[in-house]
Amino acid sequence: MSAALVTGASRGIGRGIAVALAEAGLDVIVNYASNAGAAAEAAAEVERAGARAAVVQGDVGDARDRARLVDEAYAAFGDIALLVNNAGVAPSVRADILEASEESFDRLVGINLKGPYFLTQLVANRMIAAGTPGKIVTVSSMSAYTASVNRGDYCITKAGLSMLTKLYAARLAEHGINVYEVRPGIIATDMTGGVQEKYDRLIYDEGVTPIRRWGTPQDVGRAVAAIARDLFPFSTGQVIDVDGGFHLRTL
Ligand code: NAP
């Protein structure tokens, strides 16, 4: 059985991805930042789906944590066939870009962009050294191309992940490593819990997503599982929108 390392797998989208991968037959390293209880629950769900789970704490924004995370992930199951860069944070305060702080910008860049960039570098080098084909999936957002002026820092990090995907796809193809970007739309998780009423109105009353419902962590998990099942062998650098059609322009 091959294994997947999923960052931020304790809750929300990451947990949905972890369980979908377990159902697809992969063992899962469940990474989390601070919520050990949620990580243990996610691991139990992975095991109920018939796979093995290993829980590894680690802040993806911290270089030493990233190195330890990769060491412990390889120690757990011997090999990593799939890295899923999912962990990410929203700004603590949604502030207009004319007022937003450098502190928030640095925090988001560190966790959402620098973290996946260098975690991918670490895992890619291990995959190359192992000589076995692997896959890398990065969870960005519709914010990669949608300007929300009250969370510019978040949008910039997600736009950066689109280039991360292109760069690593171009660099790693010769090593048999395909790289994908999965772009969720509005997904029901803790992250969107505080803005539920706003998005209820946008989805159900205004039809901002042609498919008029909230997305779920399972929706995103199924897209990542399709990649894990090797259903896109001749595609790399590809973006998969999981957004109920939000990205469509209509007239
Ligand atoms: P969430 O419910 O807030 O869960 C965040 C997950 O990331 C948790 O497992 C958390 O661990 C982990 N995490 C946070 N900071 C971390 C760090 N520094 N190092 C390692 N893990 C960390 O968020 P979500 O909605 O599932 O979002 C997951 C990803 O999807 C994010 O990249 C987000 O930007 C993206 N996304 C979300 C939506 C949406 O509508 N929800 C839409 C588009 C994209 P703990 O449990 O330990 O805190």
Side-chain angles (χ1 to χ4, degrees), residues 7-15 31-36 38-39 57-62 65 69 85-90 107 110-112 139-143 154 157-158 161 182-192 199 214-215 217 220:
T7 66
S10 47
R11 294 184 285 122
I13 291 172
R15 190 192 287 198
N31 159 253
Y32 72 101
S34 58
N35 196 334
Q57 188 279 334
D59 174 355
V60 296
D62 181 282
D65 276 19
L69 169 60
N85 288 309
N86 164 76
V89 290
R107 172 172 172 263
I111 296 171
N112 291 3
V139 177
S140 65
S141 168
M142 63 193 197
S143 297
Y154 183 79
T157 63
K158 294 301 179 177
L161 293 178
V182 169
R183 250 183 216 166
I186 303 167
I187 312 294
T189 69
D190 293 343
M191 186 180 275
T192 45
Y199 285 138
W214 282 76
V220 185

Side-chain angles (χ1 to χ4, degrees), residues 142-155:
M142 63 193 197
S143 297
Y145 63 91
T146 304
S148 299
V149 296
N150 63 351
R151 48 195 167 107
D153 40 18
Y154 183 79
C155 295

Side-chain angles (χ1 to χ4, degrees), residues 53-222:
V55 175
V56 182
Q57 188 279 334
D59 174 355
V60 296
D62 181 282
R64 271 180 303 189
D65 276 19
R66 284 193 297 272
R68 179 177 51 75
L69 169 60
V70 173
D71 284 344
E72 292 186 19
Y74 274 85
F77 298 127
D79 196 19
I80 301 292
L82 170 67
L83 166 65
V84 183
N85 288 309
N86 164 76
V89 290
S92 313
V93 183
R94 288 191 171 197
D96 187 290
I97 53 170
L98 294 179
E99 288 152 15
S101 70
E102 275 194 47
E103 186 188 2
S104 177
F105 186 93
D106 289 345
R107 172 172 172 263
L108 263 67
V109 168
I111 296 171
N112 291 3
L113 184 57
K114 191 173 98 172
Y117 185 77
F118 286 104
L119 187 63
T120 300
Q121 185 189 67
L122 281 176
V123 173
N125 277 311
R126 294 268 193 135
M127 286 176 171
I128 292 167
T132 49
K135 297 182 181 61
I136 293 164
V137 175
T138 296
V139 177
S140 65
S141 168
M142 63 193 197
S143 297
Y145 63 91
T146 304
S148 299
V149 296
N150 63 351
R151 48 195 167 107
D153 40 18
Y154 183 79
C155 295
I156 282 172
T157 63
K158 294 301 179 177
L161 293 178
S162 298
M163 181 51 74
L164 177 159
T165 300
K166 291 186 212 305
L167 288 164
Y168 277 111
R171 181 65 184 84
L172 297 176
E174 68 181 279
H175 297 288
I177 301 168
N178 287 4
V179 183
Y180 306 87
E181 174 185 350
V182 169
R183 250 183 216 166
I186 303 167
I187 312 294
T189 69
D190 293 343
M191 186 180 275
T192 45
V195 282
Q196 189 189 336
E197 278 180 26
K198 174 188 165 181
Y199 285 138
D200 277 349
R201 184 169 30 81
L202 287 172
I203 294 167
Y204 299 116
D205 300 341
E206 297 179 22
V208 71
T209 55
I211 300 174
R212 288 196 183 203
R213 68 166 173 85
W214 282 76
T216 65
Q218 291 74 24
D219 289 324
V220 185
R222 286 170 73 164

